[in-house]
Amino acid sequence: MLKCATNQENETLDRLTFLFRGSGILFTLVGGAACREYGLRRPTKDLDFVVKPYPFAMDILSTSGAFNLVVDDCPDVTGRTCTRKDTKTGVLVDFLTGGIRITHNALLGPFEYSDPLPIPEPSGFGDVASLNTLIAMKVGAITSGLDTRALGANCGGREPDEVQQDINDVRELISVCQLPRNLELGSASVQRDYEKIYDGDSFIPELLGLGRRPLPSK
């Protein structure tokens, strides 16, 4: 049970555990709801889970009738992520394939780009990801958002306000959890941006495309 979740969210978690555990499908809570368990105060609108094996998990959800697929304006045509709605509680759940890079070998102008870190693998049956993992995911998303903007992806990527929200979340978790500056995050570029966040640097020029940012390697 999640200590900072609503009754409806915990009911949805129980339903997923019932559906997945017997089939050996691993699923781990990530995203804002997971960060909330470590002290993030910002309200969240959904639950995010990494799952494995993803195709089998989606088959189970489809046949259960308990989670309806939500079709949005920008669906993942690769079939590696999706949003579903608990038909009983109304809770929205985002599912992600563990171990993948959302942006991988994408051509942005003359550059080929991949996210600096993959989505983590799930580690249990409805467990909460470790704080290090969540920080790495947050900063990895920030790094990817800033990099792709530097490479000219001004549409179809993450919006500046979304990147800024992740920056604010990381700053709050650093403060609440008294995280060190040398937190190991598994990527030099992610480590660089984490240290800038830790030091209180402003990303506004880069978010607006006004500042100079070293372009990632091809």
Side-chain angles (χ1 to χ4, degrees):
M1 178 177 289
L2 302 171
K3 65 180 184 293
C4 297
T6 64
N7 291 336
Q8 291 82 3
E9 288 171 336
N10 271 315
E11 184 177 344
T12 292
L13 174 59
D14 288 343
R15 188 167 294 109
L16 288 171
T17 302
F18 174 78
L19 291 171
F20 286 165
R21 183 184 289 274
S23 299
I25 294 171
L26 295 173
F27 70 112
T28 295
L29 184 69
V30 296
C35 292
R36 188 176 58 192
E37 296 294 296
Y38 291 96
L40 184 69
R41 292 168 295 181
R42 178 173 62 86
T44 59
K45 61 182 181 180
D46 54 23
L47 301 176
D48 301 291
F49 289 98
V50 288
V51 298
K52 187 175 183 178
Y54 180 88
F56 186 28
M58 296 306 103
D59 287 344
I60 288 176
L61 293 180
S62 295
T63 57
S64 73
F67 290 85
N68 288 338
L69 185 64
V70 176
V71 179
D72 58 30
D73 294 333
C74 300
D76 178 8
V77 296
T78 66
R80 302 171 304 168
T81 69
C82 72
T83 300
R84 290 177 179 265
K85 185 176 183 179
D86 187 326
T87 57
K88 183 176 181 182
T89 65
V91 171
L92 293 174
V93 187
D94 289 338
F95 295 97
L96 304 91
T97 303
I100 66 166
R101 282 174 165 82
I102 297 296
T103 303
H104 182 59
N105 293 339
L107 289 176
L108 299 174
F111 294 92
E112 185 179 87
Y113 184 78
S114 293
D115 291 334
L117 289 172
I119 300 296
E121 299 279 9
S123 55
F125 298 101
D127 61 320
V128 178
S130 70
L131 182 56
N132 273 43
T133 296
L134 295 172
I135 294 292
M137 289 186 72
K138 283 278 187 187
V139 183
I142 293 165
T143 300
S144 180
L146 294 174
D147 284 348
T148 53
R149 287 188 68 81
L151 293 172
N154 293 321
C155 61
R158 303 186 73 236
E159 295 297 324
D161 60 334
E162 295 176 311
V163 178
Q164 185 62 58
Q165 183 62 73
D166 280 338
I167 292 171
N168 295 342
D169 288 350
V170 172
R171 284 182 175 145
E172 182 173 349
L173 289 169
I174 288 172
S175 176
V176 170
C177 301
Q178 299 184 348
L179 298 177
R181 188 177 188 273
N182 62 346
L183 194 68
E184 291 293 333
L185 298 176
S187 162
S189 59
V190 172
Q191 193 75 37
R192 172 201 66 203
D193 285 337
Y194 171 78
E195 291 173 3
K196 288 181 66 177
I197 294 169
Y198 189 96
D199 293 339
D201 291 0
S202 174
F203 289 81
I204 296 299
E206 294 173 41
L207 285 169
L208 299 178
L210 303 175
R212 297 186 64 184
R213 180 177 178 83
L215 295 179
S217 300
K218 292 184 180 180

